[in-house]
Amino acid sequence: MTIKLTINDKEVEVPAGTTVLQAAKRAGIDIPTLCDHPHLTPYGGCRLCVVEVEGVRTLQPSCTLPASQGMVVRTDTPKTREAREFVLTLLFSERNHFCMYCQMSGGDCELQNAAYGEGMTHWPLQPNWQPYPVDASHPYFVLDHNRCILCRRCVRACGELVGNFTLGVQERGAASILVADLDVPLGQSTCVSCGTCLQVCPTGAIIDRDSAYRGHETQVQRIKSTCTGCSVGCGIELLVRDNHLLRIEGNWDAPVNEGVLCEKGRFQPLKEKRERILTPLVRRNGALKASTWAEALSTVAGKLKPLVGQNGHGVAALASTRLPAEALYTFKQLFATQMGSEMVTSIEEGVTTALPGAVAQELGQSFEGNLSALKTADCVLAIGVDLVDNHQVAGFMVKRNLPKGTSLIVIDPFDNKLHNLADFSLRPQKGSDYELLMGLIAEITHLDLSKGQLDQPIDLTKYDPATVSQTTGIPAETIKAVAQRLAAAQKPAIVYGKGVTRSDSPAVLKALLNLARLVGALTPDGSTVLSLKGEANSLAAHLYGLDKTFQVHDQQVAYLALGDDYASQRLLQRLEAVPFKVVQASYASPLTAIADVVLPAEMWAEQEGHFLNLEGRLQTVQRGLTPPEEVRSHVDILEAIAAQLDFSPDPTWQDELKKRVPTNALIR
Ligand SMILES: Nc1nc2c(c(=O)[nH]1)N[C@H]1C(S)=C(S)[C@@H](COP(=O)(O)OP(=O)(O)OC[C@H]3O[C@@H](n4cnc5c(=O)[nH]c(N)nc54)[C@H](O)[C@@H]3O)O[C@H]1N2
Ligand SMILES: Nc1nc2c(c(=O)[nH]1)N[C@H]1C(S)=C(S)[C@@H](COP(=O)(O)OP(=O)(O)OC[C@H]3O[C@@H](n4cnc5c(=O)[nH]c(N)nc54)[C@H](O)[C@@H]3O)O[C@H]1N2
Ligand code: SF4
Ligand code: SF4
Ligand code: FES
Ligand SMILES: [Mo]
């Protein structure tokens, strides 16, 4: 149903359920707001957005007022202006808002901007504020209660977007104050340092330790890009000034994360302490020495040339799954196609991707869904996946819906933090996932609650709850209850991780897919089953075939396109025996220390290119920072080596990414 209303003599047509504030925005009419935020539930607390409605005596907050048929609204009248000025006057006099001492003053503060918007130059009330505490206990941001206007945007963001519910307001009338948990310092609270509260705070009440005092928003460049922290692939904005990265913010318009980020995406990259590699290095007389690019490249080429086509054992090549698709594809062509090596893979070794890929191949059907399944599910089954410490933003999508009634079923034999949040927390005996899943399948079939068919008939008689209870250690009653809950779900989602994909056998995954079929999570039309994969480009690495276990036999050369990844001890050990090691990296590490040639490469914020997130969404990474002079992009370095071998790689990196697409794949 559409609603027609008039705002400032303008006829506006909006769908039912639209607020007057949203309707005005559509009509290009600006109403000042403070507590309102487009991504949060309207709260109606600050009263800055008041409007006059014909036939209604009192002013109405437009952010909570639903538009109704024939409504006549005025947004800018003497009455609304007076009310707004009064609201602002009260806010300024309640706490210490002496702007000249506030780092947000000068365009970044929505309170100050609102006052300028009303033409205010001072406030007529004598300030009678008391000093409030400043909470500086958090590692990444400071909470200054003196600047807080109690708009509760942070409280709503922490609950509605993050699902963490750390922040609240202790109600003590005029002395209302923001609290973390049951009033503990933020640094000791349940806060997971996602920084969403920081991003929505309209004043200088929550400020970032790193970027405060380092320039206003009007003086920074904003570059939209994609986080390469993990395979979720959140949209970010880089705030850059003079080639310095000041801050990372969530991109509100990004379909994946819709503004929310996690600690790994927002804060950790700014804490980088590793030493950059600034020139090529070549080992001479036992020591790594700075060299020219020409010397470094010809040294590498001199070692590689004689190995071209050597029974596939000449060179072992390993790439980070945080490299852009362009670089991964060039890497694969250079070492697998041109050099003919059999050991060309990625750091992740396909542990998160190879098994699902093989099963899809065997079934002749892909089966992977999108993150939107997590956002809308009424029942989530999480098996063998860590949604609290890993892929946190995907975890937020689940956690924020739990108070709204979404049920969570967790299957993990070990200490997974999700267990505490689950409606059904199942810890089967290690190695008994298959039996447990078959038990659920048997029970759903037994109760005749199936919404779909098994991929082939299976004898379910040995998976009755009593028998399965014995093998798994899960009470029969729990198995029955979980089966019923899953079968009753209108919008089930199934999410799995390394606990399932690390296995050598596809049995658990196949059983999981059968369960998905029965509960309607996997149909010919689509899928709400998804695996969370690993690093930013793990899916692309898999599709390029860079997904086997990294083993070194008698190779003469190891080539490691490490990028800005960390190298584990395990990797170093496997390389010990290789006589000649080339490392393409951004930072000095124990791996570059043992290398014979080191090639300086761009780090995440300097590179540009494409990343395929866990859903199969192809996203762009934009260059935010100009790399140091001698540092080159991964593609450039690999192409330069290829040129030395008289090989020109094919630039069409897109095609192979489309070869084995997941069901709901966003890339076509
Ligand atoms: N057998 C087996 N093999 C596997 C896997 C498996 O589960 N089993 N998993 C595969 C997957 S998915 C992956 S991603 C790779 C991982 O394989 P590796 O790349 O070898 O990564 P990690 O084992 O995570 O080790 C990374 C190292 O970097 C260090 N490190 C990480 N972050 C930081 C940091 O911020 N600061 C400092 N100072 N150090 C840091 C860690 O302490 C660790 O020593 O292994 C793959 N191979
Ligand atoms: N913030 C952040 N996010 C990340 C990463 C990061 O370092 N930081 N790393 C990224 C990378 S490289 C990867 S590979 C992913 C890994 O992310 P996940 O796929 O979540 O992998 P794990 O952390 O190994 O967690 C797997 C879970 O499976 C459980 N498990 C182990 N064996 C079994 C089993 O036999 N059955 C069942 N049911 N469960 C089992 C474990 O107890 C664990 O809780 O995360 C990615 N996301
Ligand atoms: S950083 Fe995130 S978890 Fe912590 S209080 Fe803010 S919104 Fe909540
Ligand atoms: S969930 Fe992954 S992609 Fe998103 S902000 Fe965190 S690390 Fe980055
Ligand atoms: S913006 Fe409407 S009451 Fe605050
Ligand atoms: Mo991984």
Side-chain angles (χ1 to χ4, degrees), residues 23-40:
K25 200 171 197 176
R26 280 191 173 207
I29 296 163
D30 189 42
I31 302 176
T33 57
L34 267 177
C35 68
D36 191 67
H37 190 281
H39 288 261
L40 301 172

Side-chain angles (χ1 to χ4, degrees), residues 226-236 248 256-257 260-266 322 390-396 534 536 619:
T226 307
C227 177
T228 53
C230 79
S231 53
V232 175
C234 296
I236 54 173
I248 301 169
V256 171
N257 56 315
V260 181
L261 297 179
C262 76
E263 178 183 7
K264 189 174 191 194
R266 189 190 299 270
R322 272 162 63 90
N390 292 339
H391 345 82
Q392 293 189 347
V393 170
F396 300 159
Q619 307 199 103

